[in-house]
Coordinates of all heavy atoms in Angstrom, one line a residue:
M1 N 135.5 141.7 -3.6 CA 134.8 140.6 -4.0 C 135.6 139.7 -4.9 O 135.5 138.5 -4.8 CB 133.4 141.0 -4.6 CG 132.5 141.7 -3.6 SD 132.0 140.6 -2.2 CE 131.0 139.4 -3.0
K2 N 136.3 140.3 -5.8 CA 137.1 139.5 -6.8 C 138.2 138.7 -6.0 O 138.5 137.6 -6.5 CB 137.8 140.5 -7.8 CG 136.9 141.1 -8.8 CD 136.5 140.0 -9.8 CE 135.7 140.6 -10.9 NZ 135.2 139.6 -11.8
K3 N 138.7 139.2 -4.9 CA 139.7 138.5 -4.2 C 139.1 137.2 -3.6 O 139.8 136.2 -3.6 CB 140.2 139.4 -3.0 CG 141.2 138.7 -2.1 CD 141.6 139.6 -1.0 CE 142.5 138.9 0.0 NZ 142.9 139.7 1.1
F4 N 137.9 137.2 -3.2 CA 137.2 136.1 -2.6 C 136.6 135.1 -3.6 O 136.5 133.9 -3.4 CB 136.2 136.5 -1.6 CG 136.8 137.2 -0.4 CD1 136.6 138.5 -0.2 CD2 137.5 136.5 0.6 CE1 137.1 139.2 0.9 CE2 138.1 137.1 1.6 CZ 137.9 138.5 1.8
F5 N 136.1 135.7 -4.7 CA 135.5 134.9 -5.8 C 136.1 135.3 -7.1 O 135.4 135.8 -8.0 CB 134.0 135.2 -5.8 CG 133.3 135.1 -4.4 CD1 132.9 136.2 -3.7 CD2 133.2 133.8 -3.8 CE1 132.3 136.0 -2.4 CE2 132.6 133.7 -2.6 CZ 132.2 134.8 -1.9
P6 N 137.3 134.9 -7.4 CA 138.0 135.3 -8.6 C 137.4 134.7 -9.9 O 137.5 135.3 -10.9 CB 139.4 134.9 -8.4 CG 139.4 133.8 -7.4 CD 138.2 134.2 -6.5
E7 N 136.8 133.6 -9.7 CA 136.2 132.9 -10.9 C 134.8 133.4 -11.3 O 134.2 133.0 -12.3 CB 136.2 131.4 -10.7 CG 135.2 130.9 -9.7 CD 135.6 131.2 -8.2 OE1 136.7 131.6 -8.0 OE2 134.7 130.9 -7.4
R8 N 134.2 134.3 -10.5 CA 132.9 134.8 -10.7 C 132.8 136.2 -11.3 O 133.7 137.0 -11.0 CB 132.1 134.8 -9.4 CG 131.9 133.4 -8.8 CD 130.5 133.3 -8.4 NE 130.2 132.0 -7.9 CZ 129.0 131.6 -7.6 NH1 128.0 132.4 -7.8 NH2 128.7 130.4 -7.2
E9 N 131.9 136.4 -12.1 CA 131.6 137.7 -12.7 C 130.8 138.5 -11.6 O 129.6 138.1 -11.4 CB 130.9 137.6 -14.0 CG 130.5 139.0 -14.6 CD 131.7 139.7 -15.2 OE1 132.7 139.0 -15.6 OE2 131.6 140.9 -15.3
I10 N 131.3 139.5 -11.0 CA 130.6 140.2 -10.0 C 130.6 141.7 -10.4 O 131.6 142.3 -10.6 CB 131.3 140.0 -8.6 CG1 131.3 138.6 -8.2 CG2 130.6 140.9 -7.5 CD1 132.0 138.2 -6.9
N11 N 129.4 142.2 -10.4 CA 129.2 143.6 -10.8 C 128.4 144.3 -9.6 O 127.3 144.1 -9.4 CB 128.3 143.7 -12.1 CG 129.1 143.1 -13.3 OD1 130.2 143.4 -13.5 ND2 128.4 142.3 -14.0
V12 N 129.2 145.1 -8.9 CA 128.6 145.8 -7.8 C 127.8 147.0 -8.3 O 128.4 147.8 -9.1 CB 129.7 146.3 -6.8 CG1 129.1 147.1 -5.7 CG2 130.4 145.1 -6.2
K13 N 126.6 147.1 -8.0 CA 125.7 148.2 -8.5 C 125.8 149.5 -7.6 O 125.7 150.6 -8.1 CB 124.3 147.8 -8.6 CG 124.1 146.7 -9.7 CD 122.7 146.3 -9.8 CE 122.5 145.1 -10.8 NZ 121.2 144.7 -10.9
D14 N 126.0 149.3 -6.3 CA 126.0 150.4 -5.4 C 126.7 150.0 -4.2 O 126.8 148.8 -3.8 CB 124.5 150.8 -5.1 CG 124.4 152.2 -4.5 OD1 125.5 152.9 -4.4 OD2 123.3 152.5 -4.1
L15 N 127.3 151.0 -3.5 CA 128.1 150.7 -2.3 C 127.9 151.9 -1.4 O 127.9 153.1 -1.8 CB 129.5 150.5 -2.7 CG 130.5 150.4 -1.5 CD1 130.3 149.0 -0.8 CD2 131.9 150.4 -2.0
L16 N 127.7 151.7 -0.1 CA 127.6 152.7 0.9 C 128.6 152.4 2.0 O 128.6 151.3 2.6 CB 126.2 152.8 1.5 CG 126.0 153.7 2.7 CD1 126.2 155.2 2.2 CD2 124.7 153.5 3.3
I17 N 129.5 153.4 2.3 CA 130.5 153.2 3.4 C 130.1 154.3 4.4 O 130.0 155.5 4.1 CB 131.9 153.4 2.8 CG1 132.3 152.4 1.8 CG2 132.9 153.4 4.0 CD1 133.6 152.5 1.2
S18 N 129.9 153.9 5.6 CA 129.6 154.8 6.7 C 130.9 155.2 7.4 O 131.7 154.3 7.7 CB 128.6 154.1 7.6 OG 128.4 155.0 8.7
R19 N 131.0 156.4 7.7 CA 132.1 156.9 8.6 C 131.5 157.3 9.9 O 131.0 158.4 10.2 CB 132.8 158.1 8.0 CG 133.4 157.9 6.6 CD 134.6 157.0 6.7 NE 135.2 156.9 5.4 CZ 135.5 155.7 4.8 NH1 135.3 154.6 5.5 NH2 136.0 155.7 3.6
W20 N 131.4 156.2 10.8 CA 130.7 156.3 12.0 C 131.0 157.5 12.9 O 130.1 158.2 13.4 CB 131.0 155.0 12.8 CG 130.5 154.9 14.2 CD1 129.2 154.7 14.6 CD2 131.3 155.0 15.4 NE1 129.1 154.7 15.9 CE2 130.4 154.8 16.4 CE3 132.6 155.1 15.7 CZ2 130.8 154.8 17.8 CZ3 133.0 155.1 17.0 CH2 132.1 154.9 18.0
D21 N 132.3 157.9 13.0 CA 132.7 159.0 13.9 C 132.4 160.3 13.3 O 132.4 161.3 14.0 CB 134.1 158.8 14.2 CG 135.1 158.9 13.0 OD1 134.6 158.6 11.9 OD2 136.3 159.2 13.2
S22 N 132.2 160.4 12.0 CA 131.9 161.8 11.4 C 130.6 161.9 10.7 O 130.2 162.9 10.3 CB 133.0 162.1 10.4 OG 133.1 161.2 9.4
D23 N 129.8 160.8 10.6 CA 128.5 160.8 10.0 C 127.6 161.7 10.8 O 127.4 161.5 12.0 CB 128.0 159.3 9.9 CG 126.6 159.3 9.2 OD1 125.6 159.8 9.7 OD2 126.6 158.6 8.1
K24 N 126.9 162.6 10.1 CA 126.1 163.6 10.8 C 124.9 162.9 11.5 O 124.3 163.5 12.5 CB 125.5 164.6 9.9 CG 124.5 164.1 8.8 CD 124.0 165.2 7.9 CE 123.0 164.7 7.0 NZ 122.3 165.7 6.3
N25 N 124.5 161.7 11.1 CA 123.4 161.0 11.8 C 123.8 160.1 13.0 O 123.0 159.6 13.7 CB 122.7 160.1 10.8 CG 122.0 161.0 9.7 OD1 121.3 161.9 10.0 ND2 122.2 160.6 8.4
S26 N 125.1 159.9 13.2 CA 125.6 159.1 14.3 C 126.6 159.9 15.2 O 126.5 159.8 16.4 CB 126.1 157.8 13.8 OG 127.3 158.0 13.1
L27 N 127.5 160.5 14.6 CA 128.6 161.2 15.3 C 129.2 160.4 16.4 O 129.4 160.9 17.5 CB 128.1 162.6 15.8 CG 127.7 163.6 14.7 CD1 127.1 164.8 15.4 CD2 128.9 163.9 13.9
G28 N 129.5 159.1 16.1 CA 130.1 158.3 17.1 C 129.2 157.6 18.1 O 129.7 157.1 19.1
S29 N 127.9 157.7 17.9 CA 127.0 157.1 18.8 C 127.0 155.6 18.8 O 127.7 155.0 17.9 CB 125.6 157.6 18.6 OG 125.1 157.2 17.3
Y30 N 126.4 154.9 19.6 CA 126.4 153.5 19.6 C 124.9 153.0 19.8 O 124.0 153.8 20.1 CB 127.2 152.9 20.8 CG 126.9 153.5 22.1 CD1 125.9 152.9 22.9 CD2 127.5 154.7 22.6 CE1 125.6 153.5 24.2 CE2 127.2 155.2 23.8 CZ 126.2 154.6 24.6 OH 125.9 155.2 25.8
S31 N 124.7 151.7 19.6 CA 123.4 151.2 19.6 C 123.0 150.8 21.0 O 123.8 150.6 21.9 CB 123.2 150.0 18.7 OG 124.1 148.9 19.2
F32 N 121.7 150.8 21.3 CA 121.2 150.3 22.5 C 119.8 149.7 22.3 O 119.2 150.0 21.3 CB 121.1 151.4 23.6 CG 120.0 152.5 23.3 CD1 118.8 152.4 23.8 CD2 120.3 153.5 22.4 CE1 117.8 153.3 23.5 CE2 119.4 154.5 22.1 CZ 118.1 154.4 22.7
Y33 N 119.4 148.8 23.2 CA 118.1 148.2 23.0 C 117.1 148.9 23.9 O 117.3 149.2 25.0 CB 118.1 146.7 23.4 CG 119.2 145.9 22.7 CD1 120.2 145.3 23.4 CD2 119.1 145.8 21.3 CE1 121.1 144.5 22.7 CE2 120.0 145.1 20.6 CZ 121.0 144.4 21.3 OH 122.0 143.7 20.6
K34 N 115.9 149.2 23.3 CA 114.9 149.8 24.1 C 114.3 148.8 25.1 O 114.4 147.6 24.9 CB 113.8 150.4 23.2 CG 112.9 149.4 22.5 CD 111.8 150.1 21.7 CE 110.8 149.1 21.2 NZ 109.7 149.8 20.5
V35 N 113.6 149.3 26.1 CA 113.0 148.5 27.1 C 112.0 147.5 26.4 O 111.2 148.0 25.5 CB 112.3 149.3 28.2 CG1 111.5 148.4 29.1 CG2 113.3 150.2 28.9
G36 N 112.1 146.3 26.7 CA 111.2 145.3 26.1 C 111.8 144.5 25.0 O 111.1 143.6 24.5
T37 N 113.0 144.9 24.5 CA 113.6 144.1 23.4 C 114.0 142.7 23.9 O 114.5 142.6 25.0 CB 114.9 144.8 23.0 OG1 114.5 146.1 22.5 CG2 115.6 144.1 21.9
S38 N 113.7 141.7 23.1 CA 114.0 140.3 23.5 C 115.1 139.8 22.7 O 115.5 140.3 21.7 CB 112.7 139.5 23.3 OG 112.5 139.3 21.9
Q39 N 115.6 138.6 23.2 CA 116.7 137.9 22.4 C 116.1 137.6 21.0 O 116.9 137.6 20.0 CB 117.1 136.6 23.1 CG 118.0 136.9 24.3 CD 119.3 137.4 24.0 OE1 119.6 138.6 24.0 NE2 120.2 136.5 23.6
D40 N 114.9 137.2 20.9 CA 114.3 136.9 19.6 C 114.3 138.1 18.7 O 114.6 137.9 17.5 CB 112.8 136.4 19.8 CG 112.7 135.1 20.5 OD1 113.7 134.3 20.5 OD2 111.6 134.8 21.0
D41 N 114.1 139.3 19.2 CA 114.2 140.5 18.4 C 115.6 140.7 17.8 O 115.8 141.0 16.6 CB 113.9 141.8 19.2 CG 112.4 141.8 19.6 OD1 111.5 141.2 19.0 OD2 112.2 142.3 20.7
I42 N 116.6 140.4 18.6 CA 118.0 140.6 18.2 C 118.4 139.6 17.2 O 119.0 139.9 16.2 CB 118.9 140.5 19.5 CG1 118.6 141.6 20.5 CG2 120.4 140.5 19.1 CD1 119.2 141.4 21.8
I43 N 117.9 138.3 17.4 CA 118.2 137.3 16.4 C 117.5 137.5 15.1 O 118.0 137.3 14.0 CB 117.9 135.9 17.0 CG1 118.8 135.6 18.2 CG2 117.9 134.8 16.0 CD1 118.4 134.4 19.1
E44 N 116.3 138.0 15.2 CA 115.5 138.3 14.0 C 116.1 139.3 13.1 O 116.1 139.1 11.8 CB 114.1 138.7 14.4 CG 113.1 139.0 13.2 CD 112.8 137.8 12.4 OE1 112.8 136.7 13.0 OE2 112.5 137.9 11.2
I45 N 116.7 140.3 13.6 CA 117.3 141.4 12.7 C 118.5 140.8 11.9 O 118.9 141.4 10.9 CB 117.7 142.6 13.5 CG1 117.8 143.8 12.6 CG2 118.9 142.4 14.4 CD1 118.0 145.1 13.3
R46 N 119.1 139.7 12.4 CA 120.2 139.2 11.6 C 119.8 138.4 10.4 O 120.6 138.1 9.6 CB 121.0 138.2 12.6 CG 122.1 138.9 13.3 CD 123.2 138.0 13.7 NE 123.9 137.4 12.6 CZ 123.8 136.2 12.1 NH1 123.0 135.3 12.6 NH2 124.5 135.8 11.0
H47 N 118.5 138.0 10.3 CA 118.1 137.2 9.2 C 118.2 138.0 7.9 O 117.8 139.2 7.8 CB 116.6 136.7 9.4 CG 116.5 135.7 10.4 ND1 115.3 135.1 10.7 CD2 117.3 135.3 11.4 CE1 115.4 134.2 11.7 NE2 116.7 134.4 12.1
P48 N 118.8 137.4 6.9 CA 118.9 138.1 5.6 C 117.6 138.4 5.0 O 116.6 137.7 5.2 CB 119.7 137.2 4.7 CG 119.5 135.8 5.3 CD 119.3 136.0 6.8
I49 N 117.5 139.5 4.2 CA 116.3 139.8 3.5 C 116.5 139.4 2.0 O 117.4 139.8 1.3 CB 116.1 141.4 3.5 CG1 115.9 141.8 4.9 CG2 114.9 141.7 2.6 CD1 115.8 143.3 5.1
A50 N 115.7 138.4 1.6 CA 115.7 137.8 0.3 C 117.1 137.4 -0.2 O 117.4 137.4 -1.3 CB 115.2 138.9 -0.7
D51 N 117.9 136.9 0.8 CA 119.3 136.5 0.5 C 120.1 137.5 -0.3 O 120.9 137.2 -1.1 CB 119.3 135.1 -0.3 CG 119.1 134.0 0.7 OD1 119.4 134.1 1.9 OD2 118.6 132.9 0.2
R52 N 119.8 138.8 0.0 CA 120.5 139.9 -0.7 C 121.0 140.9 0.3 O 121.9 141.7 0.0 CB 119.6 140.5 -1.7 CG 119.2 139.6 -2.8 CD 118.5 140.3 -3.9 NE 119.5 141.3 -4.5 CZ 119.3 141.9 -5.6 NH1 118.2 141.8 -6.2 NH2 120.2 142.8 -6.0
I53 N 120.3 141.1 1.4 CA 120.7 142.1 2.4 C 120.9 141.5 3.7 O 120.1 140.8 4.3 CB 119.6 143.2 2.5 CG1 119.4 143.9 1.1 CG2 120.0 144.3 3.5 CD1 118.2 144.8 1.1
W54 N 122.1 141.7 4.3 CA 122.4 141.2 5.6 C 122.8 142.4 6.5 O 123.5 143.3 6.1 CB 123.7 140.3 5.6 CG 123.4 138.9 5.1 CD1 123.3 137.8 5.9 CD2 123.3 138.4 3.8 NE1 123.1 136.7 5.2 CE2 123.1 137.1 3.8 CE3 123.3 139.1 2.5 CZ2 122.9 136.3 2.7 CZ3 123.1 138.3 1.4 CH2 122.9 136.9 1.5
F55 N 122.2 142.4 7.7 CA 122.5 143.4 8.7 C 123.5 142.7 9.7 O 123.3 141.6 10.2 CB 121.3 143.8 9.5 CG 120.4 144.6 8.6 CD1 119.3 144.0 8.1 CD2 120.6 146.0 8.4 CE1 118.4 144.8 7.2 CE2 119.8 146.7 7.6 CZ 118.7 146.1 7.0
V56 N 124.6 143.4 9.9 CA 125.6 142.9 10.9 C 126.0 144.0 11.8 O 125.7 145.2 11.6 CB 126.9 142.4 10.1 CG1 126.5 141.2 9.2 CG2 127.6 143.5 9.3
G57 N 126.7 143.7 12.8 CA 127.2 144.7 13.8 C 126.9 144.2 15.2 O 126.2 143.2 15.4
E58 N 127.5 144.9 16.2 CA 127.4 144.4 17.5 C 126.0 144.4 18.0 O 125.6 143.5 18.8 CB 128.2 145.4 18.5 CG 128.1 146.8 18.2 CD 126.9 147.5 18.9 OE1 126.4 146.9 19.9 OE2 126.4 148.5 18.3
H59 N 125.1 145.2 17.4 CA 123.7 145.2 17.8 C 122.9 144.0 17.4 O 121.8 143.7 17.8 CB 123.0 146.4 17.3 CG 122.9 146.5 15.8 ND1 124.0 146.7 15.0 CD2 121.9 146.4 15.0 CE1 123.7 146.7 13.8 NE2 122.4 146.5 13.7
T60 N 123.5 143.2 16.5 CA 122.8 142.0 16.0 C 123.4 140.7 16.6 O 123.0 139.6 16.2 CB 122.9 141.9 14.4 OG1 124.3 141.7 14.1 CG2 122.4 143.1 13.8
H61 N 124.3 140.8 17.6 CA 124.8 139.6 18.2 C 124.0 139.4 19.5 O 123.9 140.3 20.4 CB 126.3 139.9 18.6 CG 127.0 138.6 18.9 ND1 126.8 137.9 20.0 CD2 128.0 137.9 18.2 CE1 127.5 136.8 20.0 NE2 128.3 136.8 18.9
P62 N 123.5 138.2 19.7 CA 122.7 137.9 20.9 C 123.4 137.9 22.2 O 122.8 138.1 23.2 CB 122.1 136.5 20.6 CG 123.1 135.9 19.6 CD 123.7 137.0 18.8
M63 N 124.7 137.8 22.2 CA 125.5 137.7 23.5 C 126.5 138.8 23.6 O 127.0 139.2 24.7 CB 126.2 136.4 23.7 CG 125.2 135.2 23.6 SD 123.9 135.3 24.9 CE 124.9 134.9 26.3
L64 N 127.0 139.4 22.5 CA 128.1 140.3 22.6 C 127.7 141.7 22.0 O 128.5 142.4 21.3 CB 129.3 139.8 21.7 CG 129.9 138.5 22.2 CD1 131.0 138.0 21.3 CD2 130.5 138.6 23.6
S65 N 126.5 142.2 22.4 CA 126.1 143.5 22.0 C 127.0 144.5 22.6 O 127.5 144.3 23.7 CB 124.7 143.8 22.3 OG 124.5 143.7 23.7
S66 N 127.2 145.7 22.0 CA 128.1 146.8 22.5 C 129.5 146.4 22.6 O 130.3 147.0 23.3 CB 127.6 147.3 23.8 OG 126.2 147.7 23.7
M67 N 129.9 145.3 21.9 CA 131.3 144.9 21.9 C 131.9 144.7 20.5 O 131.2 144.2 19.6 CB 131.5 143.6 22.6 CG 131.1 143.7 24.1 SD 131.4 142.1 24.9 CE 130.8 142.4 26.5
T68 N 133.1 145.1 20.3 CA 133.7 145.0 19.0 C 133.7 143.5 18.5 O 133.5 143.2 17.3 CB 135.2 145.5 19.0 OG1 135.1 146.9 19.4 CG2 135.8 145.4 17.7
Q69 N 134.0 142.6 19.4 CA 133.9 141.2 19.0 C 132.6 140.8 18.5 O 132.5 140.0 17.6 CB 134.3 140.3 20.2 CG 134.3 138.8 19.9 CD 135.4 138.4 18.9 OE1 136.4 139.1 18.7 NE2 135.1 137.3 18.2
G70 N 131.5 141.3 19.0 CA 130.2 141.0 18.5 C 130.0 141.5 17.0 O 129.5 140.8 16.2
A71 N 130.5 142.7 16.7 CA 130.5 143.2 15.4 C 131.3 142.3 14.4 O 130.9 142.0 13.3 CB 131.0 144.6 15.3
F72 N 132.5 142.0 14.9 CA 133.4 141.1 14.1 C 132.8 139.8 13.8 O 132.7 139.3 12.7 CB 134.7 141.0 14.8 CG 135.7 140.1 14.0 CD1 136.4 140.6 13.0 CD2 135.9 138.8 14.4 CE1 137.3 139.8 12.3 CE2 136.8 138.0 13.7 CZ 137.5 138.5 12.6
Q73 N 132.2 139.2 14.8 CA 131.7 137.8 14.7 C 130.4 137.8 13.8 O 130.2 136.9 12.9 CB 131.3 137.2 16.0 CG 131.0 135.7 15.9 CD 131.0 135.1 17.3 OE1 130.4 135.6 18.2 NE2 131.6 133.9 17.3
T74 N 129.6 138.8 13.9 CA 128.4 138.9 13.0 C 128.8 139.1 11.6 O 128.1 138.6 10.6 CB 127.4 139.9 13.5 OG1 127.9 141.2 13.4 CG2 126.8 139.6 14.8
G75 N 129.9 139.8 11.4 CA 130.4 140.0 10.0 C 130.9 138.7 9.4 O 130.7 138.4 8.3
Q76 N 131.5 137.9 10.3 CA 132.0 136.6 9.8 C 130.8 135.7 9.5 O 130.8 135.0 8.5 CB 132.8 135.9 10.9 CG 134.2 136.5 11.0 CD 135.0 135.7 12.0 OE1 134.6 135.5 13.1 NE2 136.2 135.3 11.6
W77 N 129.8 135.7 10.3 CA 128.6 134.9 10.1 C 127.9 135.3 8.8 O 127.6 134.4 8.0 CB 127.6 135.1 11.2 CG 128.0 134.5 12.5 CD1 128.9 133.6 12.8 CD2 127.4 134.8 13.8 NE1 129.0 133.3 14.2 CE2 128.1 134.1 14.8 CE3 126.4 135.7 14.2 CZ2 127.7 134.2 16.1 CZ3 126.1 135.8 15.6 CH2 126.7 135.0 16.5
A78 N 127.8 136.6 8.6 CA 127.2 137.1 7.3 C 128.0 136.7 6.1 O 127.5 136.3 5.1 CB 126.9 138.6 7.4
A79 N 129.3 136.8 6.2 CA 130.2 136.4 5.1 C 130.0 135.0 4.7 O 129.9 134.6 3.5 CB 131.7 136.7 5.4
E80 N 129.9 134.1 5.7 CA 129.7 132.7 5.5 C 128.3 132.5 4.8 O 128.1 131.7 3.9 CB 129.8 131.9 6.8 CG 131.2 131.8 7.3 CD 131.3 131.2 8.7 OE1 130.3 130.8 9.3 OE2 132.4 131.2 9.2
E81 N 127.3 133.2 5.3 CA 125.9 133.1 4.7 C 125.9 133.6 3.3 O 125.3 133.0 2.4 CB 124.9 133.8 5.6 CG 124.7 133.2 6.9 CD 123.9 134.1 7.9 OE1 123.4 135.1 7.4 OE2 123.8 133.7 9.1
V82 N 126.6 134.7 3.0 CA 126.7 135.2 1.6 C 127.4 134.2 0.7 O 126.9 133.9 -0.4 CB 127.4 136.6 1.6 CG1 127.8 137.0 0.1 CG2 126.6 137.6 2.3
A83 N 128.5 133.7 1.2 CA 129.2 132.7 0.4 C 128.3 131.4 0.1 O 128.3 130.9 -1.0 CB 130.5 132.2 1.1
E84 N 127.6 131.0 1.1 CA 126.7 129.9 0.9 C 125.6 130.2 -0.1 O 125.2 129.4 -0.9 CB 126.1 129.5 2.3 CG 125.2 128.2 2.2 CD 124.7 127.8 3.6 OE1 125.5 127.8 4.5 OE2 123.5 127.5 3.7
S85 N 125.1 131.4 0.0 CA 124.0 131.8 -0.9 C 124.5 131.9 -2.4 O 123.7 131.8 -3.3 CB 123.4 133.1 -0.5 OG 124.2 134.2 -0.9
L86 N 125.8 132.1 -2.5 CA 126.5 132.1 -3.9 C 126.9 130.7 -4.3 O 127.6 130.6 -5.4 CB 127.6 133.1 -3.9 CG 127.3 134.5 -3.7 CD1 128.5 135.4 -3.5 CD2 126.5 135.0 -4.9
G87 N 126.7 129.7 -3.5 CA 127.0 128.3 -3.9 C 128.3 127.8 -3.3 O 128.8 126.7 -3.6
Y88 N 129.0 128.6 -2.4 CA 130.2 128.1 -1.8 C 129.8 127.5 -0.4 O 129.0 128.0 0.3 CB 131.2 129.3 -1.5 CG 131.7 129.8 -2.8 CD1 131.0 130.8 -3.5 CD2 132.9 129.3 -3.4 CE1 131.5 131.3 -4.7 CE2 133.3 129.8 -4.6 CZ 132.6 130.8 -5.2 OH 133.1 131.3 -6.4
T89 N 130.5 126.4 -0.1 CA 130.2 125.8 1.2 C 131.1 126.2 2.3 O 130.8 126.1 3.5 CB 130.4 124.2 1.1 OG1 131.7 123.9 0.6 CG2 129.3 123.7 0.1
K90 N 132.3 126.8 2.0 CA 133.2 127.2 3.1 C 134.1 128.3 2.5 O 134.6 128.2 1.4 CB 134.1 126.1 3.6 CG 135.0 126.5 4.7 CD 135.8 125.3 5.3 CE 136.7 125.8 6.4 NZ 137.6 124.7 6.8
L91 N 134.3 129.4 3.3 CA 135.2 130.4 2.8 C 136.6 129.9 2.9 O 137.0 129.3 3.8 CB 135.1 131.7 3.7 CG 133.8 132.5 3.5 CD1 133.8 133.7 4.5 CD2 133.7 133.0 2.1
E92 N 137.4 130.2 1.9 CA 138.8 129.8 1.9 C 139.6 130.8 2.7 O 139.3 132.0 2.7 CB 139.3 129.8 0.4 CG 138.6 128.7 -0.4 CD 139.1 128.7 -1.9 OE1 140.2 129.3 -2.1 OE2 138.5 128.1 -2.7
E93 N 140.6 130.3 3.3 CA 141.5 131.2 4.1 C 142.6 131.8 3.4 O 143.0 131.4 2.4 CB 142.0 130.4 5.3 CG 140.8 129.9 6.2 CD 141.3 129.4 7.5 OE1 142.3 129.9 8.0 OE2 140.6 128.7 8.1

């Protein structure tokens, strides 16, 4: 965070890193949509909660589910939304 926002005082209170391939709850599994899931459901899960929690990943992309590109792109979208919520208009490259 300091790399992206060097002028801001940022204090991370908690952090969770998942090891997808060795996590006992996933063991390398992947997401799938149950019968009846709509595009609206997929889009809805991407909405931030109280501008503090963002869900990202291939399962939150309306067109690229089950693809690495979908996970990457939703991460980019969320990063832009986080930056905007902190008062930045565009992420610097």
Side-chain angles (χ1 to χ4, degrees):
M1 295 298 291
K2 288 285 188 188
K3 178 181 174 183
F4 295 108
F5 308 108
E7 69 286 352
R8 293 226 175 189
E9 178 73 25
I10 298 174
N11 297 310
V12 176
K13 294 179 183 178
D14 198 6
L15 176 68
L16 173 66
I17 297 175
S18 175
R19 301 289 184 231
W20 174 71
D21 61 337
S22 60
D23 184 294
K24 69 178 183 169
N25 295 311
S26 65
L27 294 176
S29 65
Y30 53 89
S31 65
F32 69 96
Y33 303 120
K34 71 178 190 173
V35 173
T37 300
S38 71
Q39 285 291 97
D40 290 339
D41 296 329
I42 296 164
I43 292 167
E44 181 64 28
I45 199 170
R46 271 205 65 255
H47 291 190
I49 299 171
D51 281 336
R52 295 190 64 170
I53 300 172
W54 279 259
F55 291 98
V56 299
E58 45 83 25
H59 65 291
T60 65
H61 197 291
M63 302 301 289
L64 298 175
S65 62
S66 302
M67 297 183 180
T68 303
Q69 181 61 26
F72 179 78
Q73 192 168 44
T74 60
Q76 286 184 311
W77 292 342
E80 291 171 2
E81 292 169 9
V82 168
E84 186 176 312
S85 76
L86 293 171
Y88 292 88
T89 56
K90 182 178 179 184
L91 287 178
E92 296 178 17
E93 298 193 23

